Amino acid sequence: MSSTWGNKIKISIFGGSHTQAIGVVIDGLPAGEAIDMDEILCQMARRAPGKDKSSTPRKESDTPNILSGLLDGVLTGAPLAAVIENTNTRSRDYSELKIHPRPGHSDYPASVRYQGANDIRGGGHFSGRLTACIVFAGAVCRQILRRRGVVIGGHVLSVGEVQDAPFDPVEVTSQELESLSGRYFPVRTAGTENAMREVIEEARLSLDSVGGVVECVVTGMPAGIGSPMFGGVENVLASILYGIPAVKGVEFGDGFGVAKLRGSENNDAFYYDESGAVKTRTNHAGGILGGITTGMPIVFRVAVKPTPSIAREQETVDLRTGETAKLRVQGRHDPCIVPRAVPVVESAAAIALLDMM
Amino acid sequence: MSSTWGNKIKISIFGGSHTQAIGVVIDGLPAGEAIDMDEILCQMARRAPGKDKSSTPRKESDTPNILSGLLDGVLTGAPLAAVIENTNTRSRDYSELKIHPRPGHSDYPASVRYQGANDIRGGGHFSGRLTACIVFAGAVCRQILRRRGVVIGGHVLSVGEVQDAPFDPVEVTSQELESLSGRYFPVRTAGTENAMREVIEEARLSLDSVGGVVECVVTGMPAGIGSPMFGGVENVLASILYGIPAVKGVEFGDGFGVAKLRGSENNDAFYYDESGAVKTRTNHAGGILGGITTGMPIVFRVAVKPTPSIAREQETVDLRTGETAKLRVQGRHDPCIVPRAVPVVESAAAIALLDMM
Amino acid sequence: MSSTWGNKIKISIFGGSHTQAIGVVIDGLPAGEAIDMDEILCQMARRAPGKDKSSTPRKESDTPNILSGLLDGVLTGAPLAAVIENTNTRSRDYSELKIHPRPGHSDYPASVRYQGANDIRGGGHFSGRLTACIVFAGAVCRQILRRRGVVIGGHVLSVGEVQDAPFDPVEVTSQELESLSGRYFPVRTAGTENAMREVIEEARLSLDSVGGVVECVVTGMPAGIGSPMFGGVENVLASILYGIPAVKGVEFGDGFGVAKLRGSENNDAFYYDESGAVKTRTNHAGGILGGITTGMPIVFRVAVKPTPSIAREQETVDLRTGETAKLRVQGRHDPCIVPRAVPVVESAAAIALLDMM
Amino acid sequence: MSSTWGNKIKISIFGGSHTQAIGVVIDGLPAGEAIDMDEILCQMARRAPGKDKSSTPRKESDTPNILSGLLDGVLTGAPLAAVIENTNTRSRDYSELKIHPRPGHSDYPASVRYQGANDIRGGGHFSGRLTACIVFAGAVCRQILRRRGVVIGGHVLSVGEVQDAPFDPVEVTSQELESLSGRYFPVRTAGTENAMREVIEEARLSLDSVGGVVECVVTGMPAGIGSPMFGGVENVLASILYGIPAVKGVEFGDGFGVAKLRGSENNDAFYYDESGAVKTRTNHAGGILGGITTGMPIVFRVAVKPTPSIAREQETVDLRTGETAKLRVQGRHDPCIVPRAVPVVESAAAIALLDMM
């Protein structure tokens, strides 16, 4: 289960921050679909670090090398395999992390889980760098989905206390989603990006980091996709979204907001639109009832915790001596990963939705 | 995938509100474990409706008949199968629901998904009654877990605007969890139950319903359980929790609260406790880092939407005529299912955790 | 994995020889398919024991009680659950089997696997009686397959040294298969049944049993079903066929016979038939190349071992004293299960093929 | 399902004969196990072609490049990924194969399955070259198994009509298996190899090919591994073995030979050996009863068809014109792949057995 996901579309992700390469194998893609490599690179660039002060100054070469599954730009139906070399693998001494686990990181539970044999360099297989594989796979899947009329897009809903305007869950259009999904720091309202960047810069200057929320919408999903109980759209999406490091919450439609609603407020009334399609006047359900799509936009939000790597001194343990210790995490880290998480969230959703269709 | 869940422990749930019976098959349970039938019945009674005005006056006979897998009170290692008869299957005319889908229910998307062949009586396979099967399976799993030191307990964190005090994610004890888990309406602070009951009664009297949040904690989980990426504790728990009807959000630790935190606030400092075990001073992570347990209590919350069945007149469509219609949902319904959801959430967690151990 | 099988169609089988009931849950069946109950009973009758001296005189009531998934004779798309009561569960003392494991049976390895907690009465979950569940599930699946033009039929290819004429892998028709599949002791050539019955009777009179081979053919499978590597038709069929107790070999097309062929003999030449369809002039491949159907009949054979339960005295161990012991297996047993295995093999194939389509 | 296999150990294989590379990702390997790279290369060399006239003169560079999962020669617990470059990918024109499918190959059914988009160069994803990935994965797994006392070895049981002496299913030792498993053309009796080579050379000179049988044994498997029904050792082994191209039959213990046996001959009597372990005096069961290991050697045989690529003229169809056509398969092909299949069969078994332990 660990690094393999899916039913009809199966992805298998490998690699770590400092291994020779990271990569992904995608089994079950439909044969005959043309894949635009530029579009893949464009999505991967959105995730790549080093663009400005809001992310880590570390440069990563994120160019995927496709080893198999694509012939003359068309999917062959055989597994699609892509590898991304790790150029920056000159490991400084990471052995300290085996002794002094970083708070908020997997170092300590992973050392228990793997009895100390795990690769701890740069976080190893737990590194956020692995999300490049999710973006690659998702960039392939979203091209196939778009041809079927399904469009996915997200924005930074919040960073710290700064909020962007949420999507209108009824009126949102594929055009709006497409216009957002080319951007590095997608927000819906003017000024919000600057306000969020200020919060991020303030965190960076204080050797700290800050969390936020990604909101994502899918338009064009036909009604009737998904299954009851454990095969519901929510189950399937959540099972992949929690595979993105730093995600601590996933909610659909009004999400935790439903707790304060009355049934008469939360129920979405059905009606026929002018084209004769069944729609709902509101969309508190986020396009999903009983695990199955209603035909309305799918709406979900993902909570992203503040980067645990901060330069401030923190308290930890010395696993060798059995005593408390002080740790100052070295290296170049993101003061906020929320903008970079947007394409990852969209990509994970693309994989999951193609798997269900 | 639909109604089957799990890896080492595989559950397969069947039945609908008005079929002859509902039931569950559980494959992969460890042989040789004694199972206390009274404890199972006690958990199932917590979920059963009809206890007071806060739930539906409908009486359901929830006595599971174990067909196989148990011999002289001990698990044989073969699949454990239990069946619960539906005594109340005298179907009044449900055909109207095929024509007038109920807002907030799966009627419409299910009719698309199954091209009209689905059993719509009482919600069919989407009925909340199916959660009796989850509680049965969970009641078995939690007995096995408790023998390994793992205890699960939850409470009603909120109903509408009324809040109970959340668990202390560091200090919470198995004793506190055990004391809550015998109760029908478990809350942590005096007076909260009455305040919540008032909100529920008010909703009932106004022919409405109200939502809420269930908070659940697991103590005694050893560090090192779970896997990176898609095999994380969060992924696995979410994939089963979203199988509970009406759940629209799942969060771990501080959940959506992390979005407003700085890394220096959210990171949990490690230290050695007096027994020499590694602990964290705070537990914003909810006992999970990198998908793997830290040894601290696991904390999660589940958002439960207000029951969609309300007696008020609602707008819907007439799938036969293609016109808008009015609907008044008949029958006896829960004004609030949050208290009854607590044992279901605990049970789903028990299944998932035993699957991962 | 144990008692659960499948991807799109998932079956979960439970029960043992002496539990209250046995049964099966089938998830993923297509909604809207009419199911003919008489046809199911007809298939189950072919498997049921007690018809004549070639099988055990033990009578079993094999009437499945459908608990859910079927409404007015039509599949609802929700899991189909059927239960068969064990009327004959008055257990004589089986405790001896825990001490003296029967040669050729699972008693010993199961006692190790389940540390002695397994239900050994009548073989428990390993009992051949569980194949009634496979026949039930297969009888449903073959009705759906037939509607898509796919017909499955088998015959007793051999009992001991007596051989029936094998199917012509090119000329075999669905009519021939249908005519065989209504019969309890299906053979293709006159006289073979009597010769086989003589061998069986001889084995019975000498307190012994005898093995044989079942040959099975599927017509009407379109070309292009199945997948390379581990998703091949052979992999999928074998993975379910070996779930039938007593099966020790599975082969496709010429099977082990290919070992003695030259490539020029074994390759099947392609041609266009008068309807313009691609066919092969011979069918050594058994309708499968590279794991994928060619459109020719699928041909496979299954080796069935002689019933291990024989009345003769046998050598075993006494697991209590640690010494060698003598055992005489009590009860009424089949001198040959090959005829009763035919519908089971056909049914397993039906489940697997529907799963792949 | 297609190119992904396994439960606890999950392998995902990618690539084709003429893609940039082939490779495998192995998820779920135990952390902390030292892996000897030389031993992997030794196993891969057994499979590699070009050694002598019995196989294709084509040279393949089979050196795996490990991208992740191994640190300082020790498994980290994260997915192990290995890539083998295809140096010989200068594709001559393979487009003819899309028009003239080769008899005995997957060309035709794959073109239906993938609607013509599949990569047909050198057989694409169906190429025997992919077995290099199975051998790599198996070479890792068998090192882990050997440390737990489990040894796997095979031999060429037959080529055409020439038979080697089968293993003694009771007396076979790990020493015998180890001595065989270093060899390219492993046989048990002197003279057999030469006789087999003569048959192969004769086939080669007549522009033909020849099939055979591989027999494989596993010693040291403890009793109690495997599960009833679909989780049996036979099911699991068969489901992976049929993933080896050209395999048309799999049998366990006496296999198809059981059909001619009486129960009194086929049952294996239990006894205690001098060490106090339960053994069987014979081993017709091939070490498996009820799907579960008995502690005796596991014995199975695999039928391998003659290489379908032969230089003789063959009849096929022209998928463009819809007429019958003549085809002469170009290239350098194996007159017999049975010796090269031995390490592949052993490797597939190693993966499956580690998955079940």
Side-chain angles (χ1 to χ4, degrees):
Chain A
M1 271 289 283
S2 165
S3 305
T4 309
W5 186 93
N7 286 291
K8 291 184 216 155
I9 307 288
K10 254 193 177 53
I11 61 169
S12 181
I13 290 178
F14 61 87
S17 187
H18 284 63
T19 60
Q20 186 184 327
I22 63 173
V24 58
V25 184
I26 318 169
D27 195 5
L29 290 171
E33 298 273 347
I35 297 301
D36 180 343
M37 201 60 204
D38 286 341
E39 214 178 307
I40 293 177
L41 294 176
C42 166
Q43 289 299 333
M44 296 190 75
R46 294 175 70 202
R47 191 214 71 89
K51 271 179 288 294
D52 54 40
K53 283 188 298 186
S54 74
S55 70
T56 167
R58 198 177 60 245
K59 289 277 180 191
E60 289 175 5
S61 161
D62 268 13
T63 315
N65 181 14
I66 295 184
L67 300 184
S68 70
L70 200 67
L71 187 61
D72 301 331
V74 173
L75 291 176
T76 64
L80 180 70
V83 162
I84 304 167
E85 295 287 321
N86 279 331
T87 50
N88 195 1
T89 59
R90 180 176 42 91
S91 306
R92 60 177 180 74
D93 188 10
Y94 274 95
S95 57
E96 195 205 339
L97 299 185
K98 290 242 166 176
I99 301 165
H100 296 144
R102 292 168 296 174
H105 273 284
S106 63
D107 303 345
Y108 169 66
S111 77
V112 176
R113 167 81 164 78
Y114 299 106
Q115 296 160 293
N118 56 307
D119 180 1
I120 207 152
R121 299 170 302 161
H125 191 54
F126 295 84
S127 167
R129 177 148 171 73
L130 274 287
T131 57
C133 299
I134 295 176
V135 173
F136 173 84
V140 171
C141 293
R142 68 200 295 169
Q143 295 187 33
I144 301 168
L145 286 169
R146 194 194 298 116
R147 235 163 263 149
R148 287 152 177 70
V150 179
V151 173
I152 301 171
H155 68 124
V156 180
L157 179 63
S158 73
V159 166
E161 302 282 349
V162 184
Q163 296 277 330
D164 191 25
F167 283 116
D168 182 316
V170 171
E171 301 294 340
V172 59
T173 63
S174 59
Q175 287 73 26
E176 181 181 4
L177 301 182
E178 295 277 17
S179 76
L180 284 167
S181 83
R183 288 162 59 184
Y184 168 64
F185 202 129
V187 288
R188 299 186 68 247
T189 44
T192 310
E193 180 178 343
N194 282 346
M196 288 174 171
R197 283 184 181 275
E198 272 169 40
V199 171
I200 297 171
E201 179 66 4
E202 176 203 47
R204 190 179 73 85
L205 293 176
S206 56
L207 307 183
D208 214 337
S209 62
V210 61
V213 173
V214 172
E215 187 179 50
C216 189
V217 160
V218 186
T219 58
M221 277 296 283
I225 304 295
S227 289
M229 304 214 79
F230 312 115
V233 174
E234 290 121 327
N235 308 60
V236 175
L237 276 172
S239 77
I240 191 168
L241 288 167
Y242 276 115
I244 304 171
V247 170
K248 296 303 281 187
V250 174
E251 63 177 13
F252 296 87
D254 277 18
F256 279 87
V258 297
K260 300 194 174 169
L261 295 182
R262 293 291 180 276
S264 56
E265 297 165 315
N266 185 57
N267 285 351
D268 302 308
F270 290 109
Y271 74 101
Y272 282 101
D273 72 4
E274 53 278 23
S275 76
V278 174
K279 301 268 155 154
T280 59
R281 296 206 188 272
T282 50
N283 188 13
H284 299 282
I288 308 163
L289 286 173
I292 305 181
T293 53
T294 62
M296 295 298 289
I298 297 175
V299 183
F300 63 94
R301 279 170 299 282
V302 166
V304 178
K305 74 179 185 184
T307 329
S309 293
I310 54 174
R312 290 190 188 190
E313 187 179 85
Q314 295 180 84
E315 185 186 1
T316 185
V317 287
D318 184 314
L319 292 169
R320 206 181 25 185
T321 63
E323 286 173 7
T324 298
K326 294 292 178 189
L327 173 75
R328 203 180 283 271
V329 178
Q330 307 297 325
R332 299 156 298 173
H333 302 289
D334 293 81
C336 181
I337 54 169
V338 183
R340 294 178 58 203
V342 176
V344 184
V345 167
E346 293 169 4
S347 297
I351 299 165
L353 293 172
L354 189 60
D355 183 68
M356 279 185 282
M357 282 181 84
Chain B
M1 272 288 285
S2 166
S3 305
T4 310
W5 187 94
N7 286 292
K8 291 184 217 156
I9 308 289
K10 254 194 177 48
I11 61 169
S12 182
I13 290 178
F14 61 89
S17 189
H18 284 64
T19 60
Q20 187 184 326
I22 63 172
V24 57
V25 184
I26 318 169
D27 194 4
L29 290 170
E33 297 272 347
I35 298 301
D36 180 342
M37 202 60 203
D38 287 341
E39 213 178 306
I40 292 176
L41 295 175
C42 166
Q43 289 299 334
M44 295 189 75
R46 294 175 70 201
R47 190 214 70 90
K51 269 180 290 293
D52 55 40
K53 284 188 295 186
S54 73
S55 70
T56 168
R58 197 178 60 247
K59 289 277 181 193
E60 292 174 6
S61 160
D62 269 12
T63 314
N65 181 13
I66 294 183
L67 300 183
S68 69
L70 201 67
L71 187 60
D72 303 330
V74 172
L75 293 175
T76 64
L80 180 70
V83 162
I84 304 167
E85 295 289 320
N86 279 332
T87 49
N88 195 2
T89 59
R90 178 178 42 91
S91 306
R92 58 176 181 75
D93 190 8
Y94 273 96
S95 57
E96 195 205 339
L97 298 185
K98 291 242 166 177
I99 301 164
H100 295 147
R102 293 167 295 174
H105 273 284
S106 64
D107 302 346
Y108 169 66
S111 77
V112 176
R113 168 80 165 79
Y114 299 107
Q115 296 159 293
N118 56 307
D119 180 1
I120 207 153
R121 299 169 300 162
H125 190 53
F126 295 84
S127 167
R129 176 147 172 75
L130 274 287
T131 57
C133 298
I134 295 177
V135 174
F136 174 84
V140 171
C141 293
R142 69 202 294 168
Q143 294 187 33
I144 300 168
L145 285 169
R146 195 195 296 115
R147 236 164 260 149
R148 287 152 178 70
V150 179
V151 173
I152 300 172
H155 68 124
V156 180
L157 179 63
S158 73
V159 166
E161 301 281 349
V162 183
Q163 297 278 330
D164 191 25
F167 282 117
D168 182 317
V170 170
E171 301 294 339
V172 58
T173 63
S174 59
Q175 288 72 26
E176 181 181 3
L177 301 181
E178 294 277 18
S179 76
L180 284 166
S181 84
R183 289 161 60 183
Y184 167 65
F185 203 130
V187 287
R188 298 184 69 247
T189 44
T192 310
E193 180 178 343
N194 282 347
M196 288 175 172
R197 284 185 180 275
E198 273 169 39
V199 171
I200 297 170
E201 180 65 4
E202 174 203 49
R204 189 178 76 85
L205 293 176
S206 54
L207 307 182
D208 214 336
S209 62
V210 61
V213 173
V214 173
E215 186 180 52
C216 188
V217 160
V218 186
T219 58
M221 277 295 283
I225 303 295
S227 289
M229 304 213 78
F230 313 114
V233 174
E234 289 121 328
N235 308 60
V236 175
L237 277 171
S239 77
I240 192 168
L241 289 167
Y242 276 115
I244 304 171
V247 169
K248 296 302 280 187
V250 174
E251 62 177 13
F252 297 87
D254 278 17
F256 278 87
V258 297
K260 300 195 174 166
L261 295 182
R262 294 289 180 277
S264 56
E265 297 165 316
N266 185 59
N267 285 349
D268 301 308
F270 290 109
Y271 74 101
Y272 282 101
D273 73 2
E274 53 278 22
S275 77
V278 174
K279 300 269 155 152
T280 59
R281 297 210 187 270
T282 51
N283 186 14
H284 299 282
I288 308 164
L289 286 173
I292 306 181
T293 52
T294 62
M296 294 297 289
I298 296 176
V299 182
F300 63 96
R301 279 170 300 281
V302 167
V304 178
K305 75 179 184 184
T307 329
S309 295
I310 54 175
R312 292 190 185 188
E313 187 179 84
Q314 296 180 85
E315 185 185 1
T316 185
V317 287
D318 185 313
L319 292 170
R320 206 180 26 185
T321 64
E323 285 172 8
T324 298
K326 296 290 179 191
L327 174 75
R328 205 179 283 273
V329 179
Q330 308 296 325
R332 300 155 296 172
H333 303 289
D334 293 83
C336 182
I337 55 170
V338 183
R340 292 178 59 204
V342 176
V344 184
V345 167
E346 294 169 5
S347 296
I351 299 165
L353 293 172
L354 189 60
D355 183 69
M356 281 186 279
M357 283 182 81
Chain C
M1 273 285 286
S2 168
S3 304
T4 310
W5 185 95
N7 285 292
K8 291 184 219 156
I9 308 289
K10 255 195 176 49
I11 60 169
S12 182
I13 291 178
F14 62 87
S17 188
H18 285 64
T19 59
Q20 186 184 327
I22 63 173
V24 57
V25 183
I26 317 171
D27 194 5
L29 290 170
E33 298 272 346
I35 297 301
D36 180 341
M37 202 59 202
D38 287 341
E39 213 179 306
I40 293 176
L41 295 175
C42 166
Q43 288 300 334
M44 296 190 75
R46 293 174 71 202
R47 191 215 68 91
K51 270 179 290 294
D52 56 39
K53 283 188 297 185
S54 74
S55 71
T56 169
R58 196 178 61 248
K59 290 278 181 193
E60 292 174 4
S61 160
D62 268 13
T63 313
N65 181 15
I66 295 183
L67 301 183
S68 69
L70 201 68
L71 186 62
D72 302 330
V74 172
L75 293 176
T76 63
L80 180 70
V83 162
I84 305 166
E85 295 289 320
N86 280 331
T87 50
N88 195 1
T89 58
R90 179 178 40 91
S91 306
R92 59 177 180 76
D93 189 8
Y94 274 95
S95 57
E96 195 204 340
L97 299 185
K98 291 242 166 176
I99 302 164
H100 295 147
R102 293 167 296 173
H105 273 284
S106 64
D107 303 345
Y108 169 66
S111 77
V112 176
R113 168 81 165 78
Y114 298 106
Q115 296 160 292
N118 56 307
D119 179 0
I120 206 151
R121 300 169 301 161
H125 190 54
F126 296 83
S127 167
R129 177 152 171 71
L130 274 287
T131 58
C133 299
I134 295 177
V135 173
F136 173 84
V140 171
C141 292
R142 67 201 296 168
Q143 295 186 33
I144 300 168
L145 286 170
R146 195 194 296 116
R147 234 164 263 150
R148 287 152 178 69
V150 179
V151 173
I152 300 171
H155 69 122
V156 180
L157 179 64
S158 75
V159 166
E161 301 280 348
V162 183
Q163 297 277 330
D164 191 25
F167 283 116
D168 183 316
V170 171
E171 302 293 340
V172 59
T173 63
S174 60
Q175 290 71 28
E176 182 180 2
L177 300 182
E178 295 277 18
S179 75
L180 283 167
S181 84
R183 290 162 59 183
Y184 167 64
F185 203 129
V187 287
R188 299 185 67 247
T189 45
T192 310
E193 179 176 344
N194 282 347
M196 287 175 172
R197 285 187 179 275
E198 273 170 39
V199 171
I200 297 170
E201 180 66 3
E202 177 204 46
R204 188 179 74 84
L205 294 176
S206 55
L207 308 182
D208 214 337
S209 63
V210 61
V213 173
V214 173
E215 187 180 50
C216 189
V217 160
V218 185
T219 59
M221 277 295 283
I225 304 295
S227 290
M229 303 213 79
F230 313 115
V233 174
E234 292 121 326
N235 308 59
V236 175
L237 277 171
S239 77
I240 191 168
L241 289 166
Y242 276 115
I244 305 170
V247 169
K248 296 302 280 188
V250 173
E251 62 177 15
F252 297 86
D254 278 19
F256 279 87
V258 297
K260 300 195 173 167
L261 295 181
R262 293 292 179 276
S264 56
E265 297 166 316
N266 185 60
N267 284 351
D268 302 308
F270 290 109
Y271 74 100
Y272 282 101
D273 72 2
E274 53 277 24
S275 76
V278 174
K279 300 269 154 149
T280 59
R281 297 211 186 269
T282 51
N283 188 13
H284 298 283
I288 308 163
L289 286 173
I292 304 181
T293 52
T294 63
M296 295 296 290
I298 297 175
V299 183
F300 63 94
R301 281 171 298 283
V302 166
V304 178
K305 74 178 185 183
T307 330
S309 293
I310 54 174
R312 290 189 187 190
E313 186 179 85
Q314 296 180 84
E315 186 186 359
T316 186
V317 287
D318 186 314
L319 291 169
R320 207 181 24 186
T321 65
E323 284 172 10
T324 298
K326 295 292 177 188
L327 174 74
R328 206 179 282 272
V329 179
Q330 308 295 325
R332 299 155 299 171
H333 302 289
D334 293 82
C336 182
I337 55 168
V338 184
R340 293 177 58 204
V342 176
V344 184
V345 167
E346 294 169 4
S347 298
I351 299 165
L353 293 172
L354 189 61
D355 182 68
M356 280 185 280
M357 282 182 82
Chain D
M1 271 285 284
S2 169
S3 305
T4 309
W5 186 94
N7 286 291
K8 290 185 220 155
I9 307 288
K10 254 195 177 50
I11 60 169
S12 183
I13 290 179
F14 62 88
S17 188
H18 285 63
T19 59
Q20 186 184 327
I22 62 172
V24 58
V25 183
I26 318 168
D27 194 5
L29 290 170
E33 297 272 346
I35 297 300
D36 180 341
M37 202 59 202
D38 287 342
E39 213 179 307
I40 292 177
L41 295 176
C42 167
Q43 289 300 333
M44 296 190 76
R46 294 175 70 201
R47 191 215 69 91
K51 270 180 287 296
D52 55 39
K53 285 187 296 187
S54 73
S55 71
T56 168
R58 199 178 58 247
K59 290 278 181 191
E60 291 174 5
S61 162
D62 269 12
T63 313
N65 181 15
I66 296 183
L67 300 183
S68 69
L70 201 67
L71 187 61
D72 302 331
V74 173
L75 293 175
T76 63
L80 180 70
V83 163
I84 304 168
E85 295 288 321
N86 279 332
T87 51
N88 194 1
T89 58
R90 180 175 42 93
S91 305
R92 56 179 182 75
D93 188 9
Y94 274 97
S95 58
E96 196 204 338
L97 299 185
K98 291 242 165 174
I99 302 164
H100 296 146
R102 292 167 296 173
H105 273 285
S106 63
D107 302 346
Y108 169 66
S111 77
V112 177
R113 167 79 164 81
Y114 298 106
Q115 297 160 290
N118 57 307
D119 179 1
I120 207 153
R121 300 169 301 160
H125 191 54
F126 296 84
S127 167
R129 177 150 172 73
L130 274 287
T131 57
C133 299
I134 296 177
V135 173
F136 174 83
V140 171
C141 292
R142 67 201 295 170
Q143 294 186 32
I144 301 169
L145 286 169
R146 194 194 297 117
R147 233 163 262 150
R148 286 153 177 69
V150 179
V151 173
I152 300 172
H155 68 124
V156 181
L157 180 63
S158 74
V159 166
E161 301 281 348
V162 184
Q163 296 277 330
D164 191 26
F167 282 116
D168 182 317
V170 171
E171 301 294 340
V172 58
T173 63
S174 59
Q175 288 73 28
E176 182 181 2
L177 300 181
E178 294 277 18
S179 76
L180 284 167
S181 84
R183 289 162 59 184
Y184 168 63
F185 203 129
V187 288
R188 298 186 67 248
T189 45
T192 309
E193 179 178 343
N194 283 346
M196 288 174 172
R197 284 185 180 273
E198 273 170 38
V199 170
I200 297 170
E201 180 64 4
E202 178 204 43
R204 188 178 74 84
L205 293 176
S206 55
L207 308 181
D208 215 337
S209 63
V210 62
V213 174
V214 172
E215 186 179 53
C216 189
V217 160
V218 186
T219 58
M221 278 293 284
I225 304 295
S227 289
M229 304 215 78
F230 313 115
V233 175
E234 291 121 327
N235 309 59
V236 176
L237 276 171
S239 78
I240 191 168
L241 289 167
Y242 275 115
I244 304 171
V247 169
K248 295 303 282 187
V250 173
E251 62 177 16
F252 296 86
D254 278 18
F256 279 86
V258 297
K260 300 194 173 169
L261 296 182
R262 294 289 181 277
S264 57
E265 296 165 318
N266 185 58
N267 284 350
D268 302 307
F270 290 109
Y271 74 101
Y272 282 101
D273 72 3
E274 53 280 22
S275 76
V278 173
K279 300 269 155 151
T280 60
R281 296 206 187 273
T282 51
N283 187 14
H284 298 282
I288 309 163
L289 286 172
I292 304 181
T293 53
T294 63
M296 296 296 290
I298 296 176
V299 182
F300 63 96
R301 278 170 300 281
V302 167
V304 178
K305 75 177 181 184
T307 330
S309 293
I310 54 174
R312 291 190 186 188
E313 189 180 83
Q314 296 181 85
E315 187 186 359
T316 186
V317 287
D318 185 313
L319 292 170
R320 208 182 23 185
T321 65
E323 286 173 9
T324 298
K326 295 292 178 189
L327 174 75
R328 204 179 283 273
V329 179
Q330 307 296 325
R332 298 155 297 172
H333 302 289
D334 294 81
C336 182
I337 53 168
V338 183
R340 293 177 58 202
V342 176
V344 183
V345 168
E346 294 169 3
S347 297
I351 299 165
L353 293 172
L354 188 60
D355 183 69
M356 280 186 281
M357 282 181 82

